[in-house]
Amino acid sequence: MKQSLPLRLLLAVTILFFLLLIGLPFWWVISGSFKLPQEIIAREPTLVPQSFTLQHYAKLLDASAYPTYLVNSLIVGLASSVLTVLLAVPAAYAFFRMELPFREGMYRAILLAYAFPGVIVLIPIYGLFAQLGLVDNLLALIIVNTTFALPFSIWMMRSFLATIPRDLEEAARMDGAPTPVILRRILVPLILPGVAAVGVFAFISSWTEYLFASVLILSDDKRTVPVGFAGIIGQYQIDWGLLLAGASLAILPVVIIFSLVGRAFVSGLTDGAVK
Amino acid sequence: MTNLTLRGVTKRFGATEAVSNVDLEILAGEMVVFVGPSGCGKSTLLRMIAGLEPVSEGRIEIGDRDVTQAEPVERGLAMVFQSYALYPHMTVAENMGFPLEMQGLSKEEIAGRVRATAQTLQLQDHLDRKPRALSGGQRQRVAIGRAIVRNPVAFLFDEPLSNLDAELRVQMRLEIARLHRDLKATMIYVTHDQVEAMTLADRIVVLRGGRIEQVGAPLELYDNPANAFVAGFIGSPRMNLIPATSWRDGDGLRIVVPGGEVRFRPAGTMPPDGAAVQLGLRPEQMAVAGGVPLPAICDTIERLGAVSYLYARLADGTAVTAQVDHALAAASIGAQVSFALDASRALLFDASGRRIA
Ligand SMILES: Nc1ncnc2c1ncn2[C@@H]1O[C@H](COP(=O)(O)OP(=O)(O)OP(=O)(O)O)[C@@H](O)[C@H]1O
Ligand SMILES: [Mg+2]
């Protein structure tokens, strides 16, 4: 489609505005993490760094428990992400296709559960995990994060499943494939973008989760980045360089994960299925 | 070789009855075509046979086995979908091998059988391609290949050719006819195209509103339709159904049509005097040498070469179609023409469409 010049200019300016809006804070954090402390707290903030140092990173990685927090966060994030995908796919299929009693009702109930803020169930969940002996255990965070990521993931997966023509499933049934095989061999390969989206969503939710991580984890060597990092900053008076370096590092895994699965976000996988 | 039997098969979607009390015996090796207007329940009936749609009432038997509740795979049937339903992420070979893989055959055996089937369908050069890299006709052949490769008890086709262009459709139709001959397989074929039905079928099942209107060999239905619906549905161009009134005349009937009348000798019960009836005449029975004269106004003429069709209006405005010779085809639009009806081959239906004679 050919747009008129003023319209295209307007679109370009809009995109630029949002790019700056989203990008500038990131730039400030990342560039700041390499500045000398004097420059960070300078009265006139600098957009282009005037100094360069790795001292904040060195301090963060050598003199704090930050690496441990990173590893913990990665374990919890990846496990939650995998578990969410493994549960969301069959659950979404069940809600999408199977003839269950109260199917619609259960589906709505799940979405309703998503609408509640986690803090409401914080105390009961703590009690539950205390009885199960899971307090101060990363497994508790994995379970909680998966639980909270699932409703939205199921909803998202279900709408991806809805794009697959029904004929494909029926052809597979005629070919003698049982339901689990249909899921694994036919449907999942065709909704890989959806699987990737759910995986990333679950990972990021877990990566940024603070509340449960702060309550369910007691010992320092089991903390995840959001909680542990808050401790580092508050431990002394605020060390801005340390804060910026930690924040920059916290962004890194998310960026890596996106670049790894980004390729799966391509659509058009179902081209040539029907018609 | 096994027969396939439907007994009182009924399907309800909520309050609507999509298929009503269908009884049908399909013989081993037979090509049966379900034909009927859109929404008459053809696909639903086929899907119930396939096992994809649960049956509300009645029984389906394959041989002497009751399969009414059986899973699709237990029925041993193969289906070719209108949309082809190829697995887009698999190659042609993987698509065709999938049902064999599900049967647990070895890799070598799968490869061998896929190759042999691909050969008969001229797909051997495309085995490594994905479906999106194939033409419509090739996709259709892969879909058929996926059905053939596992030697099913019967093949089910749901409008397999309706996504192809006219030329390819004719070609694939011949290919399916050849497959039926070569494999001597039972085939159930759904279409709303009566030409496809006529050319492919050993027997045609005409459906309307979920009920069977008539079952029979193509020419049987053509020559001897059970009612006005079948008469109008089978044959192209359609049979003319001319509104008329019936009067007794000695031991026969005098059928008064707009602009003329024909004599008729019914075999069964005679309609009462003055009864409204419909006189059924095929286009090729409208203008024959020595026929009963009937005036009409010429609307359009289609000159196809071997035959010409003249579309005209009778005295009361009823539209009719006549197959005419070169002389009549020379008529000009709006001119008065005189048909010559072959009353000896005419059919008579009562006002509700039931066949009288
Ligand atoms: N899943 C369904 N739920 C409700 N009604 C349905 C369903 N499937 C089919 N029907 C109805 O059943 C009737 C028969 O449908 P069916 O698809 O068998 O028709 P068809 O003869 O195959 O028509 P077409 O030539 O258009 O494919 C239609 O009135 C249709 O609306
Ligand atoms: Mg149909």
Side-chain angles (χ1 to χ4, degrees):
Chain A
M1 204 169 61
K2 198 112 180 93
Q3 285 119 349
S4 63
L5 191 64
L7 181 62
R8 280 163 62 179
L9 222 59
L10 184 74
L11 289 175
V13 168
T14 314
I15 290 173
L16 201 68
F17 173 75
F18 281 106
L19 261 182
L20 288 177
L21 197 69
I22 296 165
L24 269 183
F26 280 94
W27 170 247
W28 194 82
V29 168
I30 293 167
S31 67
S33 69
F34 294 104
K35 292 175 187 168
L36 286 169
Q38 308 88 286
E39 191 186 342
I40 299 176
I41 55 168
R43 188 172 291 272
E44 298 268 310
T46 50
L47 200 57
V48 182
Q50 309 291 311
S51 57
F52 179 82
T53 175
L54 289 175
Q55 70 178 65
H56 309 302
Y57 286 96
K59 188 167 164 197
L60 187 72
L61 295 178
D62 292 340
S64 81
Y66 192 83
T68 315
Y69 304 151
L70 260 185
V71 171
N72 289 340
S73 265
L74 277 175
I75 291 171
V76 173
L78 290 176
S80 309
S81 173
V82 170
L83 196 58
T84 302
V85 166
L86 287 181
L87 292 173
V89 169
Y93 181 79
F95 280 122
F96 179 57
R97 197 58 96 201
M98 298 180 111
E99 312 242 330
L100 304 165
F102 314 114
R103 187 177 72 168
E104 274 311 300
M106 286 197 289
Y107 185 58
R108 296 221 182 98
I110 280 190
L111 280 184
L112 192 68
Y114 183 57
F116 282 109
V119 67
I120 291 180
V121 286
L122 184 61
I123 290 167
I125 282 187
Y126 186 89
L128 193 66
F129 282 150
Q131 284 190 359
L132 292 171
L134 285 175
V135 170
D136 202 25
N137 188 330
L138 291 184
L139 188 58
L141 292 186
I142 295 170
I143 294 172
V144 165
N145 287 329
T146 303
T147 308
F148 279 96
L150 264 176
F152 183 68
S153 299
I154 291 172
W155 177 81
M156 192 151 64
M157 209 63 113
R158 188 172 119 142
S159 49
F160 271 96
L161 281 173
T163 64
I164 307 293
R166 180 158 202 182
D167 280 0
L168 279 187
E169 253 177 86
E170 296 190 330
R173 275 178 75 196
M174 293 299 295
D175 284 347
T179 304
V181 176
I182 294 180
L183 259 179
R184 194 161 43 83
R185 296 283 307 278
I186 310 292
L187 296 179
V188 167
L190 295 176
I191 55 164
L192 271 187
V195 172
V198 164
V200 168
F201 165 75
F203 181 84
I204 292 176
S205 314
S206 159
W207 191 255
T208 55
E209 203 284 319
Y210 183 90
L211 182 65
F212 284 90
S214 69
V215 172
L216 291 175
I217 298 299
L218 310 174
S219 40
D220 190 50
D221 63 342
K222 294 201 180 120
R223 294 231 154 92
T224 52
V225 169
V227 180
F229 187 46
I232 294 180
I233 305 164
Q235 228 164 318
Y236 324 100
Q237 73 261 82
I238 293 180
D239 180 340
W240 286 103
L242 204 60
L243 187 144
L244 294 178
S248 301
L249 272 190
I251 299 168
L252 198 61
V254 179
V255 172
I256 291 174
I257 293 235
F258 256 110
S259 61
L260 282 183
V261 300
R263 149 193 343 243
F265 277 94
V266 291
S267 54
L269 276 169
T270 51
D271 282 2
V274 295
K275 289 282 159 66
Chain B
M1 288 298 222
T2 36
N3 292 2
L4 207 150
T5 314
L6 309 181
R7 294 188 204 281
V9 170
T10 298
K11 176 71 193 185
R12 278 182 287 269
F13 292 109
T16 59
E17 203 160 271
V19 172
S20 308
N21 198 22
V22 164
D23 288 305
L24 187 66
E25 172 101 33
I26 294 164
L27 305 177
E30 201 178 16
M31 166 78 99
V32 169
V33 175
F34 295 169
V35 70
S38 187
C40 69
K42 307 179 293 286
S43 298
T44 306
L45 188 55
L46 193 75
R47 291 166 53 80
M48 284 193 285
I49 296 172
L52 293 173
E53 200 79 72
V55 174
S56 304
E57 248 170 64
R59 282 153 59 85
I60 300 174
E61 292 163 17
I62 296 177
D64 43 19
R65 206 157 56 95
D66 182 346
V67 297
T68 314
Q69 307 295 333
E71 284 293 306
V73 59
E74 296 161 1
R75 306 185 185 203
L77 308 174
M79 183 149 165
V80 176
F81 292 79
Q82 175 176 4
S83 64
Y84 316 149
L86 301 179
Y87 311 126
H89 54 300
M90 298 186 191
T91 64
V92 168
E94 286 164 348
N95 264 281
M96 287 170 57
F98 189 72
L100 301 180
E101 200 184 320
M102 292 300 115
Q103 289 175 3
L105 298 192
S106 73
K107 277 208 163 59
E108 296 76 48
E109 192 164 353
I110 294 175
R113 275 168 72 173
V114 165
R115 222 174 308 117
T117 307
Q119 210 89 42
T120 67
L121 292 164
Q122 284 113 51
L123 286 168
Q124 64 274 23
D125 299 334
H126 308 308
L127 283 175
D128 294 326
R129 290 209 202 158
K130 294 273 175 68
R132 76 173 138 266
L134 298 176
S135 72
Q138 288 165 341
R139 285 178 201 175
Q140 184 61 76
R141 280 209 287 273
V142 175
I144 293 173
R146 192 172 61 185
I148 293 175
V149 77
R150 62 194 167 115
N151 276 323
V153 174
F155 291 88
L156 311 178
F157 294 91
D158 192 355
E159 308 212 18
L161 306 184
S162 53
N163 284 334
L164 302 176
D165 63 48
E167 197 177 331
L168 207 50
R169 197 150 59 213
V170 173
Q171 193 187 323
M172 287 302 298
R173 198 169 75 203
L174 292 171
E175 205 157 326
I176 289 174
R178 176 180 65 81
L179 274 175
H180 178 235
R181 254 196 336 273
D182 293 352
L183 301 172
K184 300 181 178 56
T186 313
M187 293 187 172
I188 307 176
Y189 189 103
V190 164
T191 180
H192 59 252
D193 178 351
Q194 58 92 22
V195 177
E196 243 170 57
M198 294 288 281
T199 50
L200 282 173
D202 293 322
R203 279 194 304 158
I204 294 177
V205 177
V206 181
L207 289 161
R208 177 170 64 155
R211 293 178 187 281
I212 293 187
E213 292 283 325
Q214 194 174 1
V215 182
L219 290 181
E220 211 174 299
L221 297 195
Y222 187 81
D223 293 332
N224 208 1
N227 53 47
F229 175 77
V230 176
F233 197 80
I234 301 290
S236 170
R238 303 164 65 87
M239 176 184 271
N240 297 300
L241 291 168
I242 303 168
T245 46
S246 158
W247 304 89
R248 275 166 210 249
D249 181 22
D251 57 351
L253 289 176
R254 200 158 52 85
I255 307 297
V256 179
V257 295
E261 61 176 62
V262 297
R263 271 168 210 289
F264 217 86
R265 193 173 293 279
T269 50
M270 303 255 253
D273 270 354
V277 293
Q278 302 176 74
L279 185 69
L281 277 163
R282 298 271 174 209
E284 62 268 28
Q285 297 156 0
M286 291 293 287
V288 298
V292 180
L294 188 71
I297 307 285
C298 172
D299 271 341
T300 323
I301 303 173
E302 276 178 4
R303 299 179 187 90
L304 304 179
V307 297
S308 296
Y309 293 109
L310 193 154
Y311 298 88
R313 269 171 296 127
L314 300 183
D316 70 336
T318 304
V320 293
T321 309
Q323 183 182 320
V324 297
D325 59 14
H326 281 26
L328 257 181
S332 52
I333 306 229
Q336 168 106 26
V337 292
S338 181
F339 289 138
L341 310 184
D342 180 1
S344 68
R345 285 163 67 198
L347 306 177
L348 199 61
F349 305 96
D350 69 13
S352 69
R354 209 161 39 91
R355 175 94 175 267
I356 304 173

